[in-house]
Amino acid sequence: MSTSKIHDLIGVGFGPSNIALAIALEELAQHSGRDLDALFIDKQLHYRWHGDTLSSQSELQISFLKDLVSLRNPTSPYSFINYLKQQDRLIDFINLGTFYPCRLEFNDYLGWVAEHFADKVLYGEEVVRVEPELDNGHIDHLKLVSRTAQGQEQIRRARSVVVSTGSCPKIPELFAPFKDDARVFHHSQYLTALKNLPCSAGQPMRIAIIGSGQSAAEAFIDLNDSYPSVKVDMISRSSALKPADDTPFVNEIFAPKYTDIVFQQTAHDREQLIKEYHNTNYAVVDPELIERIYRVIYRQKVARQFRHAVLCRQQVEAALATEQGIELTLQDLATQQRRTHRYDAVILATGYERFSHQRLLAPLQAYLPGLEVDRNYRALATAQLRAPVFLQGFCEATHGLSDTLLSVLPMRSEEIGRALYRALDIPTSAKQPKVSVLASA
């Protein structure tokens, strides 16, 4: 199906980033008196944020004040505080005495906000590519090709595009052959995959968790607490579980103003900054969760009942699927000794990758060299491409570690919104510098 209608904007994906953008665009429309014809397309059948990872032990690692809008507009009706008020839980949450809601609740908050924009969202369609449409040597609008769950192709057009498709599970090459084996799955499929395993019916299982970050730790604790028939080995190349550094001075790197500091650096200096603070976000665990795991292991020693293990300095050298289970050959990085363990299931808490925008924008490669962006997240384009393309969540290398997190959503969404209004020649209440464009190749 194709339509001749040309939207002002099509947002690809409707996760937290594009929900925040929808809020910012609503505010800008109120200030300018001109509402953009915006449409958002999301492949999920209904709104869910990391839905398959929302175990009972999963807590947000960021203050609720860093919601979709409060850092920019604390009086917004879309704040987490107003959500609590509308759910009649504000006093109850205050009584918790915490800044960190469980992810289940934050997911509900995001869904609550998303529902306010239901008339602007199409669920159940996946945008598979964005194509140019040349007119007298220029591209003033783009063609977006999407596919429904039933495989039907849809074509829509827009004067601008914001890509916010999020991350994809990172599967180590060693485990690629197991993609159709229900016994081996990425942590992103955690809840659904567990429902199909014998432990859900109370049967004994031995499960390996590959990884040493927050996801691995949360899976370890959830299996310990919720599945008493399960024995768990957490397998890590690291010498120990490392704590996330969320101390106040370090946390300043996630402040919106720090984005300017990072962007103004040379490519080499940016890389060094990101490397310096890598332990704030990658392959690290909340300190309280580390302590919980340590207590579990210690109490096993006291009781002399060794149900779980944390196996550090272990490299997975080989993986073999048999009828009896998944056999993992581990090499001790300290002694070089190898041992083979058999598991009934393997959970890959191996992180995520952010390359989906490259596939999506491949037809525009000639007009978006290198997919580099300006300060306002607009992809630098050749002169032929007049239709702006913005990237959300793919700019860590230029904008810093906060780019993939919730911390900068309120400010980033306003920056993109104002840049959109300028690119589409719609006045707003505040002037911003022009967006830079590469010269024609």
Side-chain angles (χ1 to χ4, degrees), residues 171-179 184 210 316 318-319 326 328 346 348:
I171 307 295
E173 186 177 347
L174 187 66
F175 291 98
F178 296 85
K179 66 176 183 177
V184 179
I210 310 296
V316 182
I326 307 297
L328 300 182
V346 176
L348 303 175

Side-chain angles (χ1 to χ4, degrees), residues 309-322:
V310 176
L311 306 178
C312 296
R313 301 181 304 276
Q314 301 295 313
Q315 171 72 45
V316 182
E317 293 289 324
L320 177 66
T322 69

Side-chain angles (χ1 to χ4, degrees), residues 60-67 80 98-101 106 406-407:
L60 204 65
Q61 294 174 275
I62 190 171
S63 169
F64 70 86
L65 292 172
K66 294 184 177 181
D67 58 20
F80 184 77
T98 181
F99 278 91
Y100 308 102
F106 205 77
L406 297 172
S407 302

Side-chain angles (χ1 to χ4, degrees), residues 124-305:
E125 287 190 28
E126 181 178 7
V127 178
V128 293
R129 60 187 183 276
V130 180
E131 299 178 347
E133 288 201 325
L134 281 163
D135 183 12
N136 293 322
H138 293 98
I139 303 165
D140 293 312
H141 63 265
L142 298 164
K143 181 171 74 173
L144 288 84
V145 181
S146 62
R147 191 174 295 123
T148 67
Q150 294 74 35
Q152 183 180 5
E153 194 170 270
Q154 311 283 339
I155 294 176
R156 297 180 180 84
R157 293 171 173 84
R159 297 170 63 199
S160 62
V161 171
V162 177
V163 179
S164 181
T165 46
S167 57
C168 300
K170 184 177 181 179
I171 307 295
E173 186 177 347
L174 187 66
F175 291 98
F178 296 85
K179 66 176 183 177
D180 297 320
D181 192 324
R183 299 171 297 178
V184 179
F185 54 91
H186 192 268
H187 183 261
S188 59
Q189 303 170 301
Y190 180 75
L191 294 181
T192 296
L194 278 183
K195 288 179 182 177
N196 298 320
L197 294 179
C199 60
S200 292
Q203 298 182 33
M205 291 190 70
R206 190 179 183 195
I207 297 179
I209 301 172
I210 310 296
S212 57
Q214 184 72 16
S215 296
E218 288 180 357
F220 181 98
I221 287 296
D222 185 60
L223 290 171
N224 175 74
D225 292 356
S226 305
Y227 299 89
S229 64
V230 169
K231 296 181 178 180
V232 181
D233 282 356
M234 185 190 296
I235 301 170
S236 168
R237 295 184 76 256
S238 302
S239 58
L241 297 185
K242 298 176 182 178
D245 188 345
D246 63 349
T247 51
F249 287 107
V250 169
N251 262 346
E252 289 187 352
I253 71 167
F254 300 120
K257 66 179 181 181
Y258 198 79
T259 303
D260 287 322
I261 294 175
V262 175
F263 189 81
Q264 292 166 5
Q265 306 299 312
T266 66
H268 175 266
D269 288 341
R270 290 173 187 161
E271 185 179 349
Q272 292 302 113
L273 278 174
I274 291 172
K275 184 178 180 181
E276 180 180 355
Y277 294 107
H278 200 262
N279 65 334
T280 60
N281 192 41
Y282 294 105
V284 289
V285 182
D286 180 78
E288 292 183 1
L289 193 52
I290 291 177
E291 291 174 4
R292 287 191 63 187
I293 293 173
Y294 194 84
R295 284 196 294 268
V296 168
I297 299 300
Y298 181 79
R299 287 168 184 166
Q300 289 182 164
K301 294 177 180 178
V302 174
R304 293 181 175 83
Q305 295 176 355

